[in-house]
Amino acid sequence: PKISLFEKLGINIKNDDEVIKNYIRVQENFNIKNSIQFLKTHSYLFNFYNKYPFTNLSNSLGVIYIVRDPRNVVNSYSKFLNTAQEVVADKMINKLYMGGDLNSDNKEDRTKVWTGTWSSNFHSWKSFSNNKKYLLIKYEDLIQNAENVFLQILKFVHQLNKTKFILEKEKFDNVIKTTTFENMKLLENKEGFSEAMINKQTGQKIPFFNLGPKNDWKKLLNTQVRLKIETAFKKEMKELNYL
């Protein structure tokens, strides 16, 4: 969800119920465009009061769900928020939303996103698999085998759109080459990145592209936090072969 889209339709963004009731209306409004659009969200696929869904099959062609070892998510998210690992772990296990600060100067902070917990978020989007509209991508595979994963994504999108897939090798190779973590980090250093948070103590921006593939929970994660995460998400981590 993006607050500005709701404001344009005259929806009272201070009223959570009104925002929730209008998710589908907002989606219908920008789906007037006769084109494939890629939308990123941290939301889980909820259905508030059993009648207000976050999205539906009329407005979402499919979902590409990117998951990452939650032990590495803790350290990455901790750095992003400039917050202790223990606090971030508790958020992943218990908190149902993020954002919602309408007084914030940061546009990203203004939007309330109902994330659910890490586990409920992961499970919720699986419902799209019933219609063969779900593709699960592990962050680790994306890093270690970018070409194969990107090819898989392209084929999935063409399948959803019922169009013939033709590999344009030069474009394909260029995408792989220009979107490495190192290149994205250089681009942020040069031009900045809109989602980077501000360190409230120093007033400086916290780099969004921090460690990437070098973020290793074995070296960086507090033992107590690791055990807490592994206990809370044991079922999901086994399913994803993280345990």
Side-chain angles (χ1 to χ4, degrees):
K2 192 172 184 180
I3 283 297
S4 59
L5 295 174
F6 292 82
E7 290 174 322
K8 285 177 184 176
L9 293 179
I11 296 161
N12 180 7
I13 61 171
K14 294 181 180 179
N15 185 321
D16 285 341
D17 282 352
E18 284 303 304
V19 171
I20 290 166
K21 288 177 186 177
N22 284 283
Y23 276 133
I24 297 299
R25 182 184 162 201
V26 168
Q27 290 170 45
E28 289 171 343
N29 190 59
F30 63 66
N31 274 335
I32 292 171
K33 299 176 184 177
N34 187 25
S35 64
I36 297 296
Q37 300 175 80
F38 291 88
L39 306 174
K40 184 202 78 172
T41 185
H42 290 292
S43 177
Y44 77 116
L45 186 58
F46 57 74
N47 193 344
F48 270 101
Y49 315 124
N50 293 318
K51 59 181 179 178
Y52 298 121
F54 174 70
T55 190
N56 55 29
L57 290 172
S58 298
N59 286 284
S60 290
L61 196 59
V63 58
I64 299 170
Y65 192 92
I66 302 177
V67 69
R68 188 180 190 180
D69 188 323
R71 293 166 296 192
N72 280 334
V73 172
V74 170
N75 193 59
S76 179
Y77 199 20
S78 172
K79 179 69 176 177
F80 175 70
L81 294 177
N82 192 32
T83 305
Q85 291 180 353
E86 293 83 355
V87 174
V88 168
D90 285 338
K91 285 179 183 289
M92 291 171 63
I93 295 168
N94 301 304
K95 195 159 185 181
L96 298 179
Y97 70 87
M98 64 182 186
D101 181 2
L102 297 176
N103 296 315
S104 176
D105 294 328
N106 188 325
K107 291 180 181 179
E108 300 294 331
D109 288 345
R110 295 182 69 228
T111 300
K112 178 177 280 189
V113 182
W114 295 93
T115 59
T117 64
W118 185 87
S119 56
S120 65
N121 193 300
F122 168 63
H123 289 299
S124 70
W125 287 97
K126 289 179 182 178
S127 61
F128 268 70
S129 63
N130 298 331
N131 301 86
K132 297 183 179 179
K133 294 177 178 288
Y134 175 84
L135 178 63
L136 177 66
I137 299 293
K138 291 173 72 172
Y139 173 90
E140 295 78 13
D141 293 336
L142 193 56
I143 293 297
Q144 294 164 15
N145 204 344
E147 291 88 348
N148 281 351
V149 172
F150 186 36
L151 191 62
Q152 188 181 3
I153 290 170
L154 289 173
K155 289 180 178 178
F156 177 69
V157 172
H158 279 272
Q159 171 199 315
L160 290 177
N161 201 31
K162 297 179 181 176
T163 52
K164 184 178 180 181
F165 172 63
I166 299 172
L167 178 63
E168 297 183 54
K169 193 68 168 60
E170 189 176 341
K171 286 185 179 179
F172 181 90
D173 291 342
N174 187 56
V175 169
I176 296 296
K177 179 182 176 182
T178 56
T179 58
T180 62
F181 182 81
E182 292 74 18
N183 273 357
M184 300 305 288
K185 194 174 179 71
L186 287 172
L187 193 61
E188 180 183 16
N189 289 338
K190 183 180 178 182
E191 300 182 14
F193 190 74
S194 61
E195 292 188 34
M197 300 286 278
I198 302 292
N199 185 316
K200 293 179 181 178
Q201 279 75 45
T202 65
Q204 300 295 312
K205 276 203 170 186
I206 303 169
F208 184 87
F209 295 95
N210 182 37
L211 293 175
K214 294 179 182 177
N215 180 13
D216 186 355
W217 62 266
K218 298 182 189 72
K219 298 176 182 176
L220 301 169
L221 195 60
N222 175 295
T223 301
Q224 287 183 320
V225 173
R226 173 182 65 79
L227 292 172
K228 179 182 274 192
I229 288 290
E230 290 176 351
T231 301
F233 304 135
K234 183 177 180 180
K235 178 184 174 184
E236 293 77 19
M237 291 178 73
K238 282 191 171 183
E239 179 182 338
L240 290 160
N241 292 319
Y242 288 138
L243 281 179

